[in-house]
Amino acid sequence: MRGYTDQSTIENYMLKSIDATFQIQLESWIEAVEKMIEQITGRVFIADTEASERIYNGQGDVKQKFDEFVIDSEENPGIIIKLGEDEPRVTIEQGDYRIYPTNQENKSIIELKSASFERGYQNVRITAKWGSYREVPADIKLAATILVAGIINNSSPDKGMVRSESLGAYTISYANEKGWADYTNAMLIILSHKRFSF
């Protein structure tokens, strides 16, 4: 579970308490909603707190797109770039690359100043904090909360007259038009964060 929403946030949205004996099931539903959001958007909304290495194929250009990552600061990004298929690999010094886009938290493009990502198989190693944001964006937190609440509503014996929709392996339900409007807005929020690859 990454933490896109939590029990207290869901309870506040639903205006009712969730029994403590329901904790394991609730965590399972939160995790399922997080995975669904990540599959639709192609993004991980909370970046790792520790840097880890990922291996890529070089595409033969000075600029290459990678999975999204966050940096520590513009002056000290906290990433490591190594090139080459065999040891010893060439480490690119901090002043010898640029990171883009410069105007947003989630970075995904690295441009080398005096080298290139030589075309090859598993010859580019990037160590970074992978993910789109340091903290989950407020709108994604809201969307996750609404979707988990819908799953809970569908499991409730007193759900009353509802509209429902399939959400992967789950069915979500809302007891009134406001809940259904919230669901529609939640899906629009998620789609607005979809990452496109070119």
Side-chain angles (χ1 to χ4, degrees):
M1 206 168 69
R2 294 187 183 275
Y4 292 2
T5 188
D6 54 45
Q7 181 171 337
S8 64
T9 304
I10 295 164
E11 287 175 335
N12 289 341
Y13 171 77
M14 296 179 71
L15 299 177
K16 63 181 179 182
S17 296
I18 298 170
D19 193 279
T21 60
F22 209 58
Q23 185 68 37
I24 293 172
Q25 183 61 63
L26 178 63
E27 289 175 2
S28 170
W29 287 340
I30 291 172
E31 189 172 352
V33 166
E34 289 173 344
K35 286 181 181 175
M36 185 272 305
I37 290 172
E38 290 174 2
Q39 287 173 345
I40 290 173
T41 61
R43 289 195 150 114
V44 174
F45 285 92
I46 300 178
D48 302 330
T49 54
E50 298 291 325
S52 61
E53 183 180 80
R54 292 191 181 179
I55 302 171
Y56 298 88
N57 296 337
Q59 296 175 354
D61 204 346
V62 297
K63 189 184 283 189
Q64 185 165 322
K65 193 171 183 105
F66 299 95
D67 297 317
E68 288 182 322
F69 58 92
V70 297
I71 61 174
D72 294 337
S73 68
E74 294 294 335
E75 299 76 30
N76 182 21
I79 69 167
I80 300 169
I81 303 167
K82 292 185 177 181
L83 305 178
E85 292 182 15
D86 303 309
E87 295 288 357
R89 294 181 174 87
V90 176
T91 301
I92 305 298
E93 298 299 323
Q94 183 177 320
D96 291 334
Y97 62 83
R98 295 184 184 95
I99 301 171
Y100 300 101
T102 55
N103 59 346
Q104 61 191 49
E105 185 175 358
N106 47 347
K107 312 296 184 185
S108 59
I109 298 170
I110 300 173
E111 179 182 35
L112 303 179
K113 292 182 180 179
S114 55
S116 68
F117 295 105
E118 185 178 331
R119 188 174 295 279
Y121 178 68
Q122 296 187 346
N123 61 337
V124 177
R125 293 170 185 254
I126 308 291
T127 301
K129 294 176 181 175
W130 303 103
S132 301
Y133 304 93
R134 286 180 191 83
E135 295 180 9
V136 65
D139 59 345
I140 288 294
K141 184 172 188 173
L142 175 62
T145 301
I146 291 167
L147 296 181
V148 174
I151 294 171
I152 293 169
N153 284 339
N154 189 64
S155 299
S156 174
D158 58 348
K159 55 190 172 187
M161 296 298 292
V162 297
R163 293 178 68 175
S164 62
E165 180 78 21
S166 293
L167 185 70
Y170 298 96
T171 299
I172 58 171
S173 299
Y174 298 93
N176 53 46
E177 290 303 317
K178 181 197 173 303
W180 191 253
D182 284 353
Y183 163 74
T184 303
N185 288 335
M187 295 308 294
L188 289 173
I189 287 167
I190 292 166
L191 290 172
S192 75
H193 281 274
K194 186 168 183 171
R195 186 179 187 208
F196 294 94
S197 298
F198 300 100

